[in-house]
Amino acid sequence: MGQAENIADLNSSWAKEGRTPRIAIVGAGLSGIGAVIALRKAGYSDLTVYEKAERIGGTWRDNHYPGLSCDVPSYWYSYSFEPNADWSHRFSYGPEILKYIDHVAEKYDVMSTVQLNSPVTELTYLGPRWRLKAEGHDPQIFDFVISATGILHHPAYPDIAGLDAFKGAMFHTTRWDDSVALEGKRVGIIGTGSTSAQIVGEITKKVGHMSVFQRTPHWVAPLPQKEYGPIWKTILRTFPALHLFLVWFYKRLMLTTFAKATIGDVEEQQKIQQACLEMLEKTVPDPELRAKLTPDYKATCKRLIFCSDFYPAISHDNAELVTAGITAIEPEGVRTEDGRMHELDVLVLATGFKVSEFILPTKVYGENNLELSKQWDGAPRAHRAMTIPGFPNFWMLEGPTGPVGNLSLISITENQIAYMIQCLDKMKTEKAASIEVKPEAFESLNREMAEAVRTTTWATGGCTSWYIDKTGIPNLYPWHPSRFYKEMEQVDFSEYKLTS
Ligand code: NAP
């Protein structure tokens, strides 16, 4: 379609005209790729994916730090339509996941829909269609926009004086500089979350000296890693039912243990805390170090770390856990409040992500020119993590409150995509030009969420984390995942306004 023809056709409504909707997808990570495949299967084939980077893969492309792995079991961290009997480990390492994503994209011809190096800069609702502007492209008109940008992709840099003064190599974990050799170097890492634990567990053995700057100790649970041999892979390939059973088993395990612990099940929470304490006791012989590593809040309050390598690494002779607060970064290293200078060659910032951005800084203008960043004001909200009042025909995958406990993100996004397809099908049968969540449904669910979060361990556990935003709304789904799966099964259309 030519540009002029495309723009002139603003009032066109795909459902009324009986044509396929033009759908834009922002981001070619796991959600965007899954959306292309599922939408095509459902008969929605006019798809364009705008990917800001030079390759697909999302978080598994951005992150390539040493030790990168996924703490969700591999068989479950796979698309349901593309099981993989060849996973080499129970918990996959980053490069293998990226290879799997490439394989899926190639097998299902996803790349024919993807525009690489095409950051979306502006989305404007012109009713009932959207105008999309992307770098390197003429503006385009779409019937439907799906934001599949993910949540943890904007690095958070610490607000520490002198950060730019450091004269060695310094980078955030999600911008890892592969050209910097670590062998024999004095390496420092700020932060002790999931990312840091994986890095420290991996690199301590090769660096000269490892300084780990801990502001708050985190609970660390054992990760029962296992390598799969060729006989096992053949068995799994021969008996697909066994594969399905394993997916069911891991999901069930998560739902009956961890998921219950986070939403207030005291017994499950204590079992997890006990398992963490036992690993700490077994793997950290020094009682003084053990004390420094022991959190004073409840396990599962912050994001629980699954890692069996961190404690042995931090107990190693060449490692030091620094608990004195950081006062400044200086050219030679990190100065702590006890006056000590920790001299370093390399400084890694494992300080997490800005969690309230999602599709931002893309300018997204909804009805009446309402701008998304103003509407959110630093506290993103959505209805069922997917839609926002005032932004018809605009959907998010893994939007605000999208993560459901430590569930497989692929499982969550597949459910959201199926839900969204139900809405498209409904528009088709009702010949609707637009669909939008009703403000009262949105408000009521968000109120319920703010109420529900109060009894979760994230709120009662005595810690602060990215799990609850500045207004008390959780950044995660605050109920048991079984409720999420049920909600996704059947759209309650009384929550939505369909306009013809
Ligand atoms: P994170 O959990 O947000 O941890 C950031 C760390 O940096 C914390 O220890 C924090 O201390 C520290 N920090 C932040 N600002 C600081 C400052 N100014 N001074 C000193 N310390 C500072 O980030 P992350 O480890 O990158 O993990 C982010 C998320 O990624 C996780 O929650 C998880 O969802 C995901 N992830 C998943 C996997 C997986 O296997 N599935 C692996 C890695 C990451 P405080 O605790 O005191 O705030």
Side-chain angles (χ1 to χ4, degrees):
M1 189 184 287
Q3 179 56 19
E5 184 191 348
N6 184 4
I7 297 275
D9 209 12
L10 274 179
N11 294 318
S12 152
S13 162
W14 65 275
K16 267 191 223 157
E17 293 158 16
R19 61 177 172 80
T20 314
R22 287 196 87 204
I23 302 176
I25 297 168
V26 185
L30 283 164
S31 295
I33 292 169
V36 169
I37 297 166
L39 282 163
R40 266 208 200 123
K41 197 167 166 218
Y44 301 101
S45 54
D46 191 347
L47 309 168
T48 310
V49 182
Y50 291 88
E51 169 52 55
K52 67 180 176 191
E54 73 297 338
R55 93 182 297 300
I56 62 167
T59 195
W60 299 104
R61 170 204 61 221
D62 289 350
N63 289 289
H64 44 92
Y65 58 76
L68 172 69
S69 65
C70 180
D71 58 14
V72 176
S74 314
Y75 297 133
W76 193 24
Y77 199 84
S78 311
Y79 291 109
S80 59
F81 55 83
E82 190 61 22
N84 177 21
D86 285 328
W87 287 121
S88 66
H89 287 81
R90 183 182 280 155
F91 299 94
S92 296
Y93 291 99
E96 197 173 354
I97 299 175
L98 194 57
K99 209 167 132 205
Y100 171 77
I101 296 173
D102 285 344
H103 155 76
V104 172
E106 198 188 320
K107 178 168 172 185
Y108 292 87
D109 183 33
V110 173
M111 292 314 291
S112 62
T113 65
V114 180
Q115 301 287 332
L116 296 170
N117 299 307
S118 304
V120 175
T121 52
E122 192 185 295
L123 287 163
T124 308
Y125 186 62
L126 303 169
R129 310 183 73 190
W130 283 86
R131 184 185 62 209
L132 179 149
K133 291 185 181 171
E135 272 175 33
H137 298 264
D138 287 337
Q140 289 289 315
I141 299 295
F142 288 94
D143 297 294
F144 217 78
V145 176
I146 300 166
S147 166
T149 60
I151 166 168
L152 302 170
H153 59 115
H154 297 288
Y157 289 89
D159 185 15
I160 301 174
L163 200 60
D164 293 333
F166 184 59
K167 68 173 169 30
M170 183 181 78
F171 41 83
H172 190 276
T173 52
T174 199
R175 303 278 184 269
W176 193 272
D177 186 346
D178 297 306
S179 70
V180 176
L182 301 175
E183 284 72 14
K185 298 274 172 62
R186 298 164 303 174
V187 179
I189 189 164
I190 301 180
T192 49
S194 304
T195 304
S196 171
Q198 292 183 346
I199 294 169
V200 173
E202 177 65 23
I203 69 172
T204 303
K205 50 187 178 268
K206 63 170 96 149
V207 304
H209 188 265
M210 183 80 232
S211 306
V212 180
F213 297 92
Q214 172 187 276
R215 185 165 68 181
T216 317
H218 288 227
W219 286 102
V220 186
L223 184 94
Q225 182 59 297
K226 180 180 166 61
E227 191 169 354
Y228 296 130
I231 297 173
W232 171 249
K233 291 178 192 171
T234 308
I235 293 173
L236 212 53
R237 230 174 281 120
T238 317
F239 302 104
L242 177 60
H243 201 288
L244 286 178
F245 168 76
L246 287 170
V247 175
W248 173 86
F249 170 78
Y250 285 122
K251 181 173 163 186
R252 173 125 194 94
L253 189 68
M254 191 55 92
L255 264 53
T256 51
T257 56
F258 183 79
K260 282 167 77 183
T262 56
I263 56 163
D265 186 314
V266 178
E267 204 181 316
E268 285 304 327
Q269 188 278 333
Q270 283 176 349
K271 272 195 222 164
I272 289 172
Q273 188 156 320
Q274 193 51 35
C276 296
L277 283 170
E278 279 167 20
M279 181 168 76
L280 182 63
E281 185 80 29
K282 257 193 226 150
T283 52
V284 181
D286 175 6
E288 207 179 306
L289 180 59
R290 255 195 334 257
K292 285 183 182 175
L293 288 164
T294 308
D296 62 358
Y297 56 87
K298 287 185 193 167
T300 75
C301 180
K302 281 176 185 279
R303 210 280 193 181
L304 187 68
I305 297 173
F306 293 91
C307 183
S308 296
D309 304 330
F310 176 68
Y311 286 153
I314 196 72
S315 304
H316 207 262
D317 289 347
N318 68 339
E320 181 184 4
L321 183 75
V322 181
T323 54
I326 298 171
T327 47
I329 310 288
E330 295 179 16
E332 289 71 32
V334 173
R335 175 85 59 192
T336 44
E337 60 194 5
D338 50 9
R340 238 183 103 188
M341 161 56 64
H342 303 263
E343 289 188 9
L344 302 171
D345 304 306
V346 181
L347 179 57
V348 178
L349 307 173
T351 42
F353 296 86
K354 291 193 249 171
V355 295
S356 45
E357 306 265 302
F358 299 90
I359 192 172
L360 307 178
T362 299
K363 295 274 181 209
V364 184
Y365 299 98
E367 282 174 322
N368 307 317
N369 228 22
L370 183 67
E371 204 213 316
L372 187 58
S373 66
K374 296 219 171 70
Q375 156 113 341
W376 277 350
D377 190 23
R381 295 271 187 291
H383 185 70
R384 309 210 176 284
M386 286 181 275
T387 57
I388 314 160
F391 294 79
N393 298 349
F394 175 77
W395 289 69
M396 290 174 288
L397 297 172
E398 292 291 338
T401 67
V404 184
N406 276 43
L407 256 62
S408 164
L409 178 139
I410 303 180
S411 159
I412 300 166
T413 201
E414 282 192 326
N415 277 271
Q416 293 178 336
I417 294 164
Y419 180 99
M420 192 177 66
I421 289 174
Q422 283 186 48
C423 293
L424 280 169
D425 290 347
K426 179 85 168 170
M427 288 177 82
K428 190 151 85 178
T429 28
E430 306 229 336
K431 301 199 183 323
S434 67
I435 185 165
E436 179 185 359
V437 62
K438 291 178 184 164
E440 54 275 22
F442 164 86
E443 291 297 345
S444 150
L445 187 65
N446 275 282
R447 263 197 312 275
E448 234 192 297
M449 286 196 157
E451 190 56 40
V453 79
R454 292 197 203 169
T455 50
T456 61
T457 327
W458 317 322
T460 61
C463 73
T464 54
S465 80
W466 68 269
Y467 280 1
I468 301 178
D469 79 12
K470 62 179 185 184
T471 63
I473 298 271
N475 280 317
L476 275 76
Y477 186 79
W479 294 289
H480 192 268
S482 52
R483 174 171 163 164
F484 164 78
Y485 286 120
K486 198 140 196 56
E487 285 169 349
M488 290 296 105
E489 261 171 34
Q490 187 65 51
V491 178
D492 175 359
F493 284 104
S494 70
E495 295 178 345
Y496 295 91
K497 186 171 79 183
L498 277 93
T499 311
S500 55

